[in-house]
Amino acid sequence: MAAGSAIQIPSRLPLLLTHEGVLLPGSTMRTSVDSPRNMQLVRSRLLKGTSLRSTIIGVIPNTSDPTSDCDELPSLHRIGTAALAVQVVGSNWPKPHYTLLVTGLCRFQILQLLKEKPYPVAEVEQLDRLEQFTNQLKSEEELGELSEQFYKYAVQLVEMLDMSVPAVAKLRRLLDNLPREALPDILTSIIRTSNQEKLQILDAVRLEERFKMTIPLLVRQIEGLKLLQKTRKPKQDDDKRIVAIRPNRRINHIPSTAEDEEEEEDHDDVVMLEKKIRTSSMSEQALKVCLKEIKRLKKMPQSMPEYALTRNYLELMVELPWNKSTKDRLEIRAARILLDNDHYAMEKLKKRVLEYLAVRQLKNNLKGPILCFVGPPGVGKTSVGRSIAKTLGREFHRIALGGVCDQSDIRGHRRTYVGSMPGRIINGLKTVGVNNPVFLLDEVDKLGKSLQGDPAAALLEVLDPEQNHSFTDHYLNVAFDLSQVLFIATANTTATIPPALLDRMEIIQVPGYTQEEKIEIAHRHLIPKQLEQHGLTPQQIQIPQVTTLDIITRYTREAGVRSLDRKLGAICRAVAVKVAEGQHKETKPDRAEVGEGEDCKEHVTEDAKPESITDTADLALPPEMPILIDFHALKDILGPPMYETEVSERLSQPGVAIGLAWTPLGGEIMFVEASRMDGEGQLTLTGQLGDVMKESAHLAISWLRSNAKRYQLTNASGSFDLLDNTDIHLHFPAGAVTKDGPSAGVTIVTCLASLFSGRLVCSDVAMTGEITLRGLVLPVGGIKDKVLAAHRAGLKRIIIPRRNEKDLEEIAVNVRQDLTFVMASCLDEVLNAAFDGGFAVKPRVEHLNSKL
């Protein structure tokens, strides 16, 4: 492209039409291309071209490209800039377009437009020389005083800027190295000028004219900078202020007075932070680390990203309660009253809290226990943790662990990571502000595990009394004492908790509530809470205990009281509608007689009517108050009963027995059904059974086959081989629910014995127990929850293994009085108790063969 010293542009150039800015020779501009002709120019010329000539285009300023190919080109500006396309970037959002980075080479003049489609091409004449200037002295002599004046103003402008900025220093070097002819165009593109002024500079073809037009622009920019510096003179730059203040601080620490030092600290946050660190009661190791970090912070400019990270770290260290604690309330009598008022039943929990208080009275430096409340949902595990904190007079903080699968949530992130933060334990201590709060680790059995680590393993250090006195969070990187924290974990089951973590906690079982306990909880806590939430008073609604019992038995079937609470809320909402409607009615003197039979769910006694009207006259209550909720009102509000007593109906034919199962949601009764048919001796099991339950079914059929003659059990053809030409199908209803465990063994044996003997199992009997091949009954777990489930279902007799007799002591006395327990150590005792009249061995009549 260079022949000798002169550089020529092509005589024919494709034209890029732009109206956004003006490109001057020697400057660089980024422009967006989205019109049809310009897009076609980029695709055909720039993207497909292979030579350097194909990257040279003509940029025509002050001319917009039509939005359609059919439109004619507007009149083109006479002078343009030959440019080199340095970069092309395409995008489809929000619409297809290209972004070009072009560098101006020289001016040209359009002689003739050769074609308009698909993109304009014109014959051009080069106006500027593109030479390799080697003799700079010669050029300076030709330009004369005008060039020197321009150079003086340019140097003055650049030196008014901050020379520490690399771009400014580079511009200062360019003023000395570039030829003077190129400076007007370059500086015009740098300083603050309008497009019209740049267009005038572009049209100035003669160099003298260009200098004369550019010098006023430089003078205007210099005057503007001088005015700006005058307004900013009292306020120095931040970096200079830091450099000016900190040496004085180092000097003034020795001779300055206390008043001057306090005044200086008020204006310097870093010094205030250092003072807080020195006056805090953190450990010696933590203080050493903080002083080292504050020393680094003083030498660090505020513009550095690490400045904010280090400062946040130091502020957290200052805010942590290293030695700040609350004083425990250790009055056992007051604590017992408070716990009884907040929670009904839960004797084990209350006993354990009172034991802790008693030991704290005798020993002040007792380490906080690690408790784990295990029980079904809705029994009050979380709320009792809050009550324990209230009883002790401590701060309470809840940490939800359900679904947590990153160990950094417990231990925190290391400060080398972007966005690092401390773990939930340290964050909780910062929130409560004391080092001996009550921490509730909710749903510890639902911790996950992922590639980011195992949070359950991270909890091992937190929940170990021998280790948590020096718990090290990754963010802090110093030890923190957690030994005074009272940790309480909650879980629905211990099956999903790792054994190592389970070993560190004191397990306290929280079983489900009996019907009597639920009634007391409803009338002591739930109903008053719902009345307060819905703006009702006891003079407006009455829910007798009989109605509460109907809700418990016919509309809910759970171990806790959450569903009961929701049903009571639905009743209060329905009554609130009646009350709101009644407040807008016109009261009449004889309204009491008319309103008595309006609705079957509004029953008011004659004594209660005048009292409710007079006592709440300010509320303009209708005379139907209070609204009494009875069975008919329940049906209207809650709909038909969800649960009916179906035990007797389902046991109306042979081959059905009732078992007891334990789930994380509490105990449940479980029906086992069996049928037989002609076949090839196969045993079919359905109902989503686990491997253990399937093995129990095979054990049951094997024991019955081996004892068929003893109990005179035969198949349909009269054979003692129960599977001879007979198929057996065992089904466990609620097929969508997965079932497993060994406790259904005795139930399966009883069900099959009923099927082959043709006798009905007693309709009020439920059973649980594991069996062996020899006919022994082994103990199982979850006895209390299973017994409560049978009690809720209205069953009267329960068959349990004899070795589980000790577990009956945990059951309330009133529940034990309603039930009859049969202790069984072998299957003979189970069968005798499950059938009316027993299931004794039938005597066999021995036939003597005649020897005659």
Side-chain angles (χ1 to χ4, degrees):
M1 187 173 170
S5 61
I7 301 175
Q8 297 291 328
I9 63 173
S11 60
R12 293 186 177 186
L13 285 180
L15 302 182
L16 179 72
L17 310 182
T18 176
H19 64 282
E20 295 178 352
V22 179
L23 179 66
L24 294 173
S27 63
T28 301
M29 183 179 72
R30 194 178 298 274
T31 181
S32 179
V33 173
D34 57 1
S35 57
R37 286 184 174 89
N38 287 343
M39 294 274 286
Q40 191 63 36
L41 166 64
V42 174
R43 294 192 186 104
S44 304
R45 179 84 176 188
L46 299 181
L47 297 182
K48 293 185 178 179
T50 57
S51 64
L52 182 61
R53 293 174 61 91
S54 63
T55 63
I56 300 177
I57 57 176
V59 180
I60 303 298
N62 200 26
T63 306
S64 59
D65 187 22
T67 57
S68 175
D69 291 336
C70 301
D71 298 338
E72 294 184 358
L73 280 178
S75 59
L76 304 179
H77 194 76
R78 185 176 58 89
I79 304 297
T81 304
L84 185 68
V86 179
Q87 185 184 57
V88 180
V89 179
S91 176
N92 287 323
W93 189 89
K95 63 179 181 178
H97 69 280
Y98 292 99
T99 301
L100 300 184
L101 182 65
V102 292
T103 299
L105 299 176
C106 64
R107 291 174 177 81
F108 66 84
Q109 179 180 357
I110 299 177
L111 300 179
Q112 181 183 0
L113 187 65
L114 300 179
K115 66 174 183 177
E116 297 185 4
K117 296 181 180 180
Y119 53 86
V121 177
E123 184 178 354
V124 300
E125 177 186 2
Q126 182 174 341
L127 300 178
D128 294 338
R129 291 182 304 166
L130 288 176
E131 299 180 0
Q132 298 177 357
F133 297 97
T134 56
N135 190 355
Q136 205 163 2
L137 295 176
K138 180 181 178 181
S139 62
E140 290 179 2
E141 293 173 359
E142 293 176 355
L143 293 174
E145 295 181 0
L146 196 62
S147 171
E148 289 298 329
Q149 185 182 6
F150 177 86
Y151 177 76
K152 181 182 68 173
Y153 284 123
V155 171
Q156 181 183 355
L157 174 64
V158 174
E159 288 181 349
M160 292 178 68
L161 304 177
D162 188 1
M163 297 299 294
S164 63
V165 179
V168 179
K170 182 177 181 181
L171 179 60
R172 180 65 183 87
R173 292 192 299 269
L174 288 177
L175 292 178
D176 296 332
N177 297 330
L178 285 177
R180 298 286 175 86
E181 295 93 328
L183 292 181
D185 291 331
I186 294 176
L187 286 177
T188 303
S189 63
I190 293 176
I191 64 177
R192 186 184 297 274
T193 53
S194 64
N195 284 343
Q196 189 63 31
E197 292 171 338
K198 290 180 180 178
L199 202 60
Q200 294 175 1
I201 299 296
L202 179 66
D203 293 342
V205 179
R206 295 177 61 246
L207 188 59
E208 292 81 5
E209 182 183 359
R210 209 178 305 157
F211 274 120
K212 290 179 181 180
M213 296 178 65
T214 312
I215 288 175
L217 300 179
L218 289 178
V219 173
R220 185 183 67 185
Q221 189 72 26
I222 291 172
E223 295 298 328
L225 284 177
K226 288 181 179 178
L227 181 62
L228 187 63
Q229 287 178 351
K230 287 181 180 179
T231 58
R232 290 186 176 180
K233 190 173 182 180
K235 184 179 179 181
Q236 298 179 356
D237 292 337
D238 292 339
D239 292 340
K240 294 181 180 179
R241 179 177 61 86
I242 294 172
V243 173
I245 288 176
R246 284 179 179 169
N248 293 336
R249 184 197 311 131
R250 296 190 191 100
I251 298 172
N252 291 341
H253 269 308
I254 301 173
S256 65
T257 62
E259 294 180 357
D260 294 335
E261 186 174 345
E262 290 177 1
E263 182 179 356
E264 184 179 311
E265 287 174 354
D266 291 338
H267 295 285
D268 196 343
D269 293 339
V270 177
V271 176
M272 292 295 294
L273 187 58
E274 182 180 5
K275 183 178 178 181
K276 290 180 181 179
I277 292 173
R278 292 186 181 276
T279 56
S280 65
S281 56
M282 63 178 66
S283 62
E284 183 179 351
Q285 179 189 6
L287 181 61
K288 183 178 179 181
V289 172
C290 289
L291 292 178
K292 180 180 177 182
E293 292 293 330
I294 199 73
K295 188 175 180 181
R296 291 181 60 243
L297 189 68
K298 290 178 181 178
K299 300 177 181 179
M300 205 180 298
Q302 293 186 5
S303 58
M304 286 186 63
E306 194 176 354
Y307 182 89
L309 298 177
T310 306
R311 178 161 183 162
N312 291 338
Y313 171 75
L314 293 173
E315 289 177 350
L316 174 66
M317 295 288 283
V318 170
E319 293 175 1
L320 284 179
W322 297 92
N323 280 327
K324 185 180 178 181
S325 59
T326 55
K327 188 177 181 181
D328 289 344
R329 292 200 296 261
L330 303 177
E331 298 180 7
I332 297 181
R333 187 183 302 275
R336 180 182 284 112
I337 295 174
L338 185 60
L339 288 174
D340 289 339
N341 290 338
D342 288 348
H343 293 276
Y344 184 77
M346 293 191 174
E347 299 302 330
K348 273 189 175 182
L349 293 182
K350 297 176 184 177
K351 180 183 177 183
R352 183 63 182 86
V353 174
L354 296 178
E355 289 174 353
Y356 173 74
L357 290 178
V359 178
R360 282 283 284 116
Q361 283 186 357
L362 303 178
K363 187 175 182 180
N364 291 329
N365 58 349
L366 177 67
K367 294 181 180 179
I370 315 294
L371 306 178
C372 181
F373 300 158
V374 180
V379 297
K381 300 185 296 297
T382 302
S383 60
V384 80
R386 188 175 286 105
S387 295
I388 290 174
K390 181 180 176 183
T391 303
L392 295 173
R394 293 189 179 188
E395 297 292 334
F396 176 79
H397 185 71
R398 174 179 171 269
I399 300 177
L401 296 179
V404 173
C405 56
D406 187 355
Q407 61 99 17
S408 297
D409 280 357
I410 307 299
R411 282 206 182 105
H413 303 82
R414 299 191 185 278
R415 283 189 292 139
T416 53
Y417 295 107
V418 176
S420 58
M421 61 181 66
R424 296 195 182 191
I425 304 295
I426 297 299
N427 259 335
L429 290 169
K430 173 188 171 184
T431 302
V432 298
V434 292
N435 65 353
N436 63 339
V438 175
F439 268 14
L440 183 75
L441 307 178
D442 215 1
E443 309 292 352
V444 74
D445 59 326
K446 297 174 181 60
L447 284 169
K449 183 188 292 186
S450 67
L451 296 176
Q452 284 74 33
D454 186 3
L459 279 176
L460 295 178
E461 181 184 3
V462 177
L463 299 182
D464 192 344
E466 301 299 326
Q467 300 180 29
N468 63 9
H469 63 276
S470 59
F471 170 70
T472 303
D473 187 274
H474 287 165
Y475 184 82
L476 297 186
N477 207 23
V478 292
F480 194 93
D481 187 7
L482 299 179
S483 60
Q484 299 303 315
V485 179
L486 175 58
F487 287 102
I488 298 177
T490 67
N492 296 132
T493 177
T494 58
T496 56
I497 302 177
L501 181 60
L502 195 64
D503 182 62
R504 283 165 166 77
M505 298 185 293
E506 180 182 344
I507 305 298
I508 299 179
Q509 295 289 338
V510 186
Y513 296 117
T514 63
Q515 292 180 1
E516 291 77 10
E517 290 173 345
K518 288 184 179 181
I519 293 174
E520 287 294 329
I521 292 171
H523 285 271
R524 289 189 184 189
H525 304 286
L526 301 183
I527 294 178
K529 182 188 75 172
Q530 291 293 342
L531 293 181
E532 181 182 357
Q533 289 180 354
H534 293 84
L536 299 174
T537 63
Q539 287 77 27
Q540 294 169 327
I541 178 176
Q542 289 184 2
I543 304 177
Q545 291 193 357
V546 178
T547 304
T548 309
L549 182 61
D550 282 341
I551 300 174
I552 294 170
T553 56
R554 308 187 70 178
Y555 289 92
T556 65
R557 185 167 288 179
E558 58 174 351
V561 291
R562 282 186 183 154
S563 294
L564 175 61
D565 193 27
R566 286 191 287 267
K567 300 299 180 184
L568 292 173
I571 293 172
C572 290
R573 289 193 297 271
V575 173
V577 173
K578 287 292 181 182
V579 172
E581 290 176 348
Q583 289 181 352
H584 295 286
K585 294 179 181 178
E586 295 181 0
T587 58
K588 296 182 179 180
D590 56 346
R591 177 65 189 272
E593 299 177 358
V594 179
E596 186 175 354
E598 284 184 354
D599 197 344
C600 62
K601 61 183 176 184
E602 299 174 357
H603 300 282
V604 186
T605 61
E606 293 296 326
D607 295 333
K609 285 182 187 176
E611 291 181 1
S612 62
I613 294 174
T614 56
D615 292 344
T616 57
D618 55 333
L619 297 177
L621 296 180
E624 294 88 355
M625 298 299 163
I627 297 178
L628 183 68
I629 305 299
D630 59 2
F631 174 73
H632 299 288
L634 280 184
K635 190 173 182 181
D636 291 339
I637 298 173
L638 302 180
M642 299 175 61
Y643 303 100
E644 295 288 348
T645 305
E646 56 177 356
V647 174
S648 58
E649 290 81 357
R650 296 186 68 168
L651 293 178
S652 58
Q653 55 182 344
V656 182
I658 303 175
L660 297 174
W662 180 90
T663 68
L665 305 180
E668 294 289 343
I669 64 170
M670 177 178 60
F671 290 89
V672 181
E673 301 175 352
S675 63
R676 61 181 177 180
M677 62 217 77
D678 293 339
E680 300 177 354
Q682 295 182 352
L683 176 63
T684 304
L685 303 171
T686 55
Q688 280 209 48
L689 308 182
D691 293 336
V692 178
M693 191 169 282
K694 290 178 181 178
E695 292 173 357
S696 297
H698 286 286
L699 273 175
I701 192 64
S702 297
W703 185 84
L704 284 175
R705 290 179 67 186
S706 63
N707 292 274
K709 290 184 179 180
R710 181 183 176 196
Y711 289 102
Q712 296 296 305
L713 302 176
T714 60
N715 58 13
S717 60
S719 172
F720 289 119
D721 187 359
L722 303 180
L723 293 181
D724 184 21
N725 298 324
T726 302
D727 286 348
I728 299 175
H729 188 165
L730 271 174
H731 178 64
F732 294 76
V737 180
T738 304
K739 311 170 190 67
D740 200 6
S743 61
V746 296
T747 312
I748 299 173
V749 170
T750 306
C751 175
L752 293 175
S754 170
L755 175 68
F756 288 111
S757 66
R759 300 177 60 185
L760 296 178
V761 180
C762 296
S763 60
D764 61 347
V765 173
M767 60 199 74
T768 182
E770 182 182 356
I771 62 172
T772 68
L773 198 57
R774 296 181 299 160
L776 300 179
V777 179
L778 301 182
V780 292
I783 291 296
K784 182 175 182 180
D785 289 325
K786 294 176 180 179
V787 169
L788 293 179
H791 187 257
R792 286 196 299 266
L795 301 173
K796 298 300 180 184
R797 280 197 298 163
I798 301 178
I799 304 174
I800 63 174
R802 188 176 299 278
R803 289 164 61 181
N804 283 119
E805 186 176 2
K806 61 181 183 303
D807 298 322
L808 299 180
E809 297 178 0
E810 300 179 0
I811 302 171
V813 177
N814 57 342
V815 176
R816 282 187 286 174
Q817 291 176 350
D818 293 341
L819 299 174
T820 302
F821 295 95
V822 178
M823 309 299 166
S825 58
C826 61
L827 287 175
D828 292 338
E829 298 174 357
V830 173
L831 295 177
N832 284 329
F835 294 91
D836 284 332
F839 203 79
V841 178
K842 295 184 179 180
R844 294 178 55 188
V845 179
E846 296 185 1
H847 299 279
L848 299 176
N849 295 327
S850 176
K851 295 183 180 180
L852 296 176

